[in-house]
Amino acid sequence: MKRGRLRVLLGAAPGVGKTYAMLEEGARLGAEGKDVVIAVVETHGRSATAALLHGLEILPRAEIDHRGVQLSEMDLAAVLTRNPGVALVDELAHTNAPGSVNDKRWQDVEALLAAGINVISTVNVQHIESLSDVVEQITGAPQRETIPDEVLRNADQIEVVDLAPQALRDRLSEGNVYPAARIDAALSNYFRLGNLTALRELALLWLADEVDSALKAYRSEHGIDNKWEARERVVVALTGGPEGETLIRRGARIAARSAGGELLVVHVSGQDGLSDAHPGALSAQRSLAEKLGGTYHQVVGEDVPRALVDFAKASNATQLVIGVSRRSRVAAALTGPGIGATVIRESGVIDVHIVNHEAAGGRFALPRIGGALTVKRRILGMLVALIGGPLLTLLLASFRSDESIASDVLGFQLLVVIVALVGGIWPALFAALLSGLTLDFFFIDPLYTVTIASPPHALALVLYIINAVLVSYVVDQAARRSRSAVRALAESELLATIAGSVLRGQDALQALLTRTQEAFRLSSVRLLEGDSVLYAVGEGRADEHVSSMAVGERCTLQLIGPDLQSSERRLLAVIAAQIDAAMEHNALTKTAEEIRPLAEADRMRSALLAAVGHDLRRPLAAATAAVSGLRSTDISWSEKDRSELLATAGESLDSLAALVTNLLDASRLQAGALAVMSAPLDVVDAVLPALDELGIGPADVELGIEDGLPEVMADAGLLQRVLVNLLNNALRFSPEGTPPRLSASAFAGSIEIRIADRGPGVAMERKDDIFVPFQRLGDTDNTTGLGLGLALSKGFVEGMAGSLHAEDTPGGGLTMVISLPAASGTISDLEGDA
């Protein structure tokens, strides 16, 4: 019997529309004449989903009694007996009720597939076994129902039902996913915007990996070797040398430039002409590759370039990263072009990146001025003279004639010029003398003696040597000026970098010392203040030369390494001045940081004085007027008038007491002297007193506190004052007939209390400003309040190790979210399937 085909609709979260899409597909197949039945579907009370059931055959469910409770499950036997062409099976990861034929619904689906029935099913990414721990880290909710990855991988078709995170939150807030009682808890917990974004990325990446596996299988089955750039794959070749870390990081950056980029690090064991790979270095580089999300591979092959290119092609690589050769020019000349050139030639359509590194001489260092040309150049010039002279003599001697003396002289003159260009003046002088003697011995009569028969020939030989000396001098001077120019350029680059470090205000001292160490080839550089080390770069040996230079009035720059020349000490003096400027910059920054709290305290003090001078005057004046009137003997007050005056005095004094309390609390917060006594507290025990203080009841505020909510760690008095402030604001701005909503729920070890109104809300750029003391932002006039309510509330909540922030209410308005640590470790998780 032919096995049925499994098609799975994968979603990032409940509510994205998997069940809806499954039913739509069932209706389409039914319209095409296919035999489609609904084996099991969960609408979760969603009317739009339930409407799609019409027109489709629904098989009855099996009723299972479990401890006196009736549970309904998919009737596997009924579906097998019906034997439809296509069965719609919702929630593939579902756990069947005890007593069912199989423990899991995916096992029921396996039975349907084995019977030749095609199945369309749904699953959320949080139920995939390999991703359940990642999802728990993201959402804080553990997953009890999972499905093995192998089951999904064996599916014939997997599709992602995608929905933008904000669109899903909008759908949730409109009541299209959960009942109204669960909306606030869902939005604040599992359905946070960041959670949904991460889950969406997880689902897409998982599917991309499965598509990639299918692509590899297809290429293998059809013997396709050409590169298919379905995604960016970067192969980094390691030799085990010190440049490995640089290459891995460069490869990781290249892979990260494209979504889903993959990093593969490979080491080819074989004879590559370089030093043997260090096992410790390879182990460290392997750890780095895995830390950056890459994979490590070991390949054995005698032909290293071929093995490397074969691995890259087999991996369908798009980029290949190798390092610059660490061999010298002489070694390269003797052993051939090297691995890099061969890899480029053999790589075909794979892009090859050859990366410079410190081991290839890439570290910045100032050139030494110790002579026009290096010793290496002079030795090379001597070798050219010693080898080129005899070879040229043999060549010219084979064509010697009476008329060839002019060409012989020009030939040796050319040899002297070449030696001068290569080795400078001393090798050129040696070549001139040697070639003069050779001309006299082999080409000037009498032959094979050092005697010169003709005086003009002697003059010609002297002029020839003078000419060689002059050419050598010109070449030497040109080389000297060239090296001086390179030196000046390097000094300019060094000073520009140092100045930039100071201007950027970064950790300039560390950067300056590192640059100094590299530029002057020092083992270590230290900045000392007395005997204490402020900054240090590198480690010097006890037997190395130590020198120092004063930096400012108190510090010393200690240099460990080779002694510096006078020109280098001049440059070092400039660097010392920059170090002094950087230290002064750090000192000023530190002073500014120390002064900032004083400035804040001064601003708070000024605001408090302004409040005392303005906001306290009104209730104080009203109370004074009322009491003075009552004490007056010139006026006879009726009982009603006396009651009104007493009420006015009482209200004014209460207002005055509240204002003074807020001012004192603001001062305590500013001074860090707020007394907080946190203890386990039932949220209800803080909410009810707050409602009583405001004099409001169930008709004025909608409550939505979860049953069985763990206790919160909080100070009862402070939390009550916070709730009073936030509820008072919410009541003030809620439209008539639309009371604010207060809800509380548990999430990831915290208790969240949300107070949402449907008022005008606050612009995104002003949300932080509402928590600044003495800011009203148009939320009240200047005749009431000091603008301290939200500032105090935030300070109280943070004093209880919590947080207070503002969010937009879905559909309009402002939601204030209080997050406090839970006293209990048992936090219920939010469950739901589409």
Side-chain angles (χ1 to χ4, degrees), residues 520-524 540 544-547 559-564:
F520 298 108
R521 302 179 179 88
L522 298 169
S523 300
S524 177
E544 288 188 286
H545 180 268
V546 179
S547 59
L559 313 172
I560 303 176
D563 194 15
L564 302 183

Side-chain angles (χ1 to χ4, degrees), residues 514-536:
T514 301
R515 200 67 169 167
T516 302
Q517 179 201 21
E518 294 178 355
F520 298 108
R521 302 179 179 88
L522 298 169
S523 300
S524 177
V525 179
R526 299 173 183 174
L527 183 61
L528 307 177
E529 184 175 7
D531 294 331
S532 60
V533 179
L534 300 180
Y535 290 88

Side-chain angles (χ1 to χ4, degrees), residues 398-423:
S398 61
F399 298 100
R400 183 177 57 195
S401 65
D402 293 339
E403 292 81 14
S404 64
I405 185 64
S407 60
D408 295 338
V409 172
L410 290 176
F412 279 101
Q413 181 70 69
L414 177 61
L415 174 64
V416 172
V417 171
I418 293 174
V419 172
L421 291 173
V422 173

Side-chain angles (χ1 to χ4, degrees), residues 218-237:
Y218 179 85
R219 283 164 50 85
S220 177
E221 291 172 1
H222 293 78
I224 299 174
D225 295 328
N226 294 334
K227 180 185 71 170
W228 287 6
E229 296 189 15
R231 71 159 74 180
E232 203 75 64
R233 276 189 186 82
V234 182
V235 172
V236 177

Side-chain angles (χ1 to χ4, degrees), residues 377-393 412 414-436 438 464 472:
R377 286 276 298 271
R378 292 171 184 161
I379 294 174
L380 187 58
M382 287 291 186
L383 290 175
V384 172
L386 290 172
I387 297 173
L391 292 176
L392 182 61
T393 301
F412 279 101
L414 177 61
L415 174 64
V416 172
V417 171
I418 293 174
V419 172
L421 291 173
V422 173
I425 187 168
W426 296 111
L429 288 175
F430 172 75
L433 292 173
L434 182 63
S435 59
T438 303
Y464 166 78
S472 302

